[in-house]
Amino acid sequence: MNWFITPLGVGGAHRVTVPGCRKVLVIVPSLVAGARLLDLLPLLDSDFRVQTYFTLPEQDEATARFAREVGGLVIPWEMAAQHEFDLVLTASYRFIDRAPGPVLVLPHGAGALKSRPRVRAAGQAARAVHGLDRQLLMRDGRVPASVIALSHDQELDVLAESCPEALPAAVVAGDICLDRMRASLPFREQYRRALGVEAGDALVTISSTWTAESTFYQRPELYRELARHARVAAVLHPNIWAAHGEWQVRSWLADCDVIVVPPEEGWRAAMIASDVVVGDHGSTTQYAAAVGARVLLATCPDVRPGSLAHALSEAVPLYTGDLADAVTVPEFAHLISSRLDRSGAILRAAMYRLLGIPEPAHAAPISPVRHGR
C-alpha cells in the first residue's frame, strides 16, 4: 500500500475529490468481525460527509482477501495509529485500547454474552466468563469504548453487575444481523433458486461453529448422509476457513454432494431458504431458530447456563436420523434482541453522535441479505 496516495498521506489533501470528510476507521482483526461490520456500514451510505477506511491489525490471507473483495480503502495499522479518526468501528475487543478515536464496538455473534462458560484456550480450570467481564472491557483502569452495543436488556443487567464503569457507554441496540434476516424472509424463494434448489426439493443446511466441539468435527458423516435424502448446504464458521484454508475445507468436503456456502456472505440466505437446519451451539443455529427455521442439534457441548445456546439446547432435540424431528422455537428472536427491527436506527444515531454531525434525513436502511453465490 502506497501511503502517499491516500487522503491521509503526505500531500493527500491535494488528491481528494471530496475534501473535508469525517473519518471512519473500520478495524478488521478477523474475518468474522469484518463480516459483522458490513451490516453496520450501509448506515453511512449516501453521505458525502464521511470517508471510510479499513485497517487490518494482523495480516492474514482471509482478512486481506475479505478487505480486497469488499473494495475498502485499506491503510496499514501503523498508519492508522498515527492519525485521529472521528469514529472507529470494531466487532472485537482486541486492539480496542489502541484505537485512534472514539470506538463503537458491536458483538460479532448472536448477543454480547458467550455461550461457552470459559475461554477455549484456557482449559477447564479457567475462571468462568460470560463476555461482558470487567477484564475484557477495561484497560488500564478505564473503559476505552465510547459505545458498547448490546443486543438485549438482560445484557445491561449483567454489565451493571460485572463492570458498572462501562454502563455510560452501553447502548441496547438490538441485533442488526437478525433485523436484516427478518427483512429478508419475503425473498426465501429467490434464495432457494440462487442456491440451485428446485421446486419441490428439500434443503437441509448443516451449520457448524469452529473448534473440535463443532458439528464439522463431531458429526462429519452428516455431510454425506443427509445429501442422500435432500439438497444440503454447508455453513462453516469463518474461523474454520481462516485456520485451515479454503483449499483444505473444500478438499475435506470433496466427495460430499453439498453446496458449500462461502464464509463472507450467504449463510443467512441459506438459513432462510432451508427446510431444516441441523446445527450446534454456534450463533448461526441460533439465528436460524430466530427466523423460524425448523432446527435440530447435531451436537452440543456443555454451555453456559442462561446463554442462548443453553436455551436452544433445552428446546431443540438432537438429530438421531429423522429430519421430521426438527422443531421451530417460537419467540427465540426475542431472546436475542430486545429491539427487534429497530437496530439500524439506534446504531446510526450512536454513530452520528460520535461523528459529531447530524444524521441524514432519510430513514436508516435495513436491506435484505445477499445470497453470496
Side-chain angles (χ1 to χ4, degrees):
M1 175 73 189
N2 187 337
W3 291 24
F4 295 98
I5 65 172
T6 74
L8 297 178
V10 176
H14 302 292
R15 298 175 179 271
V16 299
T17 299
V18 183
C21 289
R22 300 296 171 111
K23 300 187 293 295
V24 176
L25 181 67
V26 181
I27 298 179
V28 185
S30 65
L31 177 55
V32 65
R36 176 52 61 101
L37 291 173
L38 290 188
D39 286 335
L40 202 56
L41 294 181
L43 301 177
L44 300 172
D45 279 354
S46 306
D47 194 336
F48 273 65
R49 301 170 297 171
V50 174
Q51 165 74 58
T52 300
Y53 303 81
F54 291 73
T55 190
L56 284 58
E58 293 181 341
Q59 287 282 350
D60 64 72
E61 178 54 32
T63 53
R65 185 175 64 178
F66 168 82
R68 288 195 304 268
E69 292 179 351
V70 167
L73 178 58
V74 181
I75 61 174
W77 174 245
E78 296 80 6
M79 183 182 189
Q82 295 176 16
H83 292 79
E84 186 69 18
F85 291 81
D86 301 288
L87 172 63
V88 179
L89 302 176
T90 184
S92 169
Y93 285 94
R94 295 169 62 200
F95 309 103
I96 196 171
D97 54 326
R98 291 188 275 162
V103 181
L104 185 154
V105 59
L106 196 71
H108 62 253
L113 297 174
K114 296 178 180 295
S115 293
R116 303 293 288 117
R118 294 173 178 82
V119 176
R120 291 181 176 92
Q124 291 299 312
R127 183 166 57 86
V129 296
H130 50 58
L132 289 175
D133 304 274
R134 184 182 184 85
Q135 68 269 24
L136 179 68
L137 302 180
M138 297 193 70
R139 301 288 193 281
D140 299 323
R142 68 182 185 92
V143 177
S146 297
V147 172
I148 298 171
L150 305 178
S151 302
H152 202 282
D153 290 324
Q154 291 181 353
E155 296 172 352
L156 197 63
D157 297 334
V158 172
L159 186 64
E161 182 176 343
S162 66
C163 188
E165 296 91 337
L167 282 175
V171 174
V172 181
D175 189 308
I176 195 167
C177 174
L178 177 56
D179 286 356
R180 290 194 67 198
M181 292 181 75
R182 287 165 59 87
S184 305
L185 290 172
F187 304 99
R188 182 173 187 270
E189 291 304 318
Q190 287 94 316
Y191 295 144
R192 288 173 67 85
R193 288 196 295 270
L195 289 165
V197 180
E198 302 290 340
D201 286 349
L203 174 65
V204 178
T205 293
I206 304 175
S207 169
S208 179
T209 189
W210 59 302
T211 78
E213 296 172 328
S214 67
T215 301
F216 193 66
Y217 182 74
Q218 293 290 329
R219 301 291 300 275
E221 76 281 359
L222 293 183
Y223 296 92
R224 299 176 185 84
E225 176 185 321
L226 291 174
R228 293 196 289 267
H229 308 288
R231 292 300 311 277
V232 171
V235 168
L236 307 178
H237 193 286
N239 284 351
I240 298 177
W241 297 82
H244 296 285
E246 179 179 354
W247 181 89
Q248 185 61 72
V249 169
R250 295 189 182 279
S251 174
W252 279 328
L253 295 173
D255 66 344
C256 306
D257 184 17
V258 300
I259 304 161
V260 182
V261 178
E264 297 84 4
E265 183 59 281
W267 68 267
R268 293 177 289 194
M271 298 299 175
I272 292 166
S274 297
D275 296 286
V276 176
V277 174
V278 181
D280 52 29
H281 59 290
S283 290
T284 50
T285 314
Q286 296 162 26
Y287 282 122
V291 294
R294 296 172 58 227
V295 182
L296 287 163
L297 289 177
T299 183
C300 188
D302 291 333
V303 292
R304 186 178 59 80
S307 66
L308 290 169
H310 183 260
L312 198 68
S313 69
E314 293 285 292
V316 175
L318 286 171
Y319 172 70
T320 57
D322 191 349
L323 292 173
D325 292 336
V327 298
T328 59
V329 188
E331 302 301 311
F332 199 81
H334 292 279
L335 296 182
I336 293 179
S337 171
S338 292
R339 304 291 187 271
L340 283 177
D341 306 321
R342 296 166 52 195
S343 185
I346 297 169
L347 288 168
R348 191 176 75 168
M351 291 163 68
Y352 276 89
R353 173 168 58 84
L354 296 182
L355 284 169
I357 54 177
E359 290 185 64
H362 62 268
I366 296 294
S367 56
V369 300
R370 296 184 295 110
H371 58 72
R373 292 177 62 82

